[in-house]
Amino acid sequence: TQYDTKEPVAGAIVGRVKGGFTVDLGGASACLPGSQVDIRPVRDVTPLMNKEQPFAILKMDRTRGNIVVSRRAVLEESRAEQRAELVGQLAEGEVREGVVK
C-alpha cells in the first residue's frame, strides 16, 4: 500500500472538523490535523478546498477505518529536495541574490 511505501496519495480537502479538516481520498475519508496543512500556519484554507493535491499518510487504523494524512510532510520533502539541489549547485566565493529572513 501507499502507507507502507510512504508514497503520497491524491486527495482534496472537503470539509472542516474540530482541530482540522476532512480529506476525500477518492472515496475514503481521512483526517487532516490543522498543524499538518502547511509548513507555516494557514489562516484561510479556502483556496486549498476541493483542489486535488498530494498528501502523505501519517497513520492508518484499518479496524477503526481511521486515516490521518499530512500535506505538510509532502511540502517539507519537496523543499528539502530543492534545498539539496541548490546547495549542490553552489560554488565557494559565488555571489547570489536573495532575501534574508
Side-chain angles (χ1 to χ4, degrees):
T1 63
Q2 289 167 311
Y3 173 62
D4 300 319
T5 59
K6 303 256 186 270
E7 262 181 62
V9 294
I13 301 170
V14 290
R16 184 175 224 120
V17 291
K18 186 179 157 206
F21 302 91
T22 309
V23 176
D24 179 23
L25 302 174
S29 191
C31 177
L32 172 66
S35 63
Q36 297 298 317
V37 176
D38 209 322
I39 295 167
R40 291 203 178 93
V42 178
R43 291 268 171 261
D44 183 23
V45 192
T46 314
L48 301 172
M49 296 290 278
N50 301 311
K51 277 197 186 137
E52 191 154 295
Q53 49 204 317
F55 293 92
I57 300 173
L58 297 183
K59 226 168 33 179
M60 206 157 97
D61 185 349
R62 287 176 200 273
T63 52
R64 282 214 194 121
N66 252 2
I67 305 171
V68 179
V69 293
S70 170
R71 183 170 169 265
R72 177 178 166 177
V74 175
L75 295 175
E76 283 177 344
E77 196 174 299
S78 69
R79 192 177 180 187
E81 285 171 11
Q82 287 173 345
R83 184 177 286 140
E85 199 176 295
L86 176 68
V87 170
Q89 292 171 357
L90 292 176
E92 196 173 320
E94 189 179 351
V95 178
R96 288 275 176 130
E97 289 285 318
V99 178
V100 178
K101 290 186 177 183

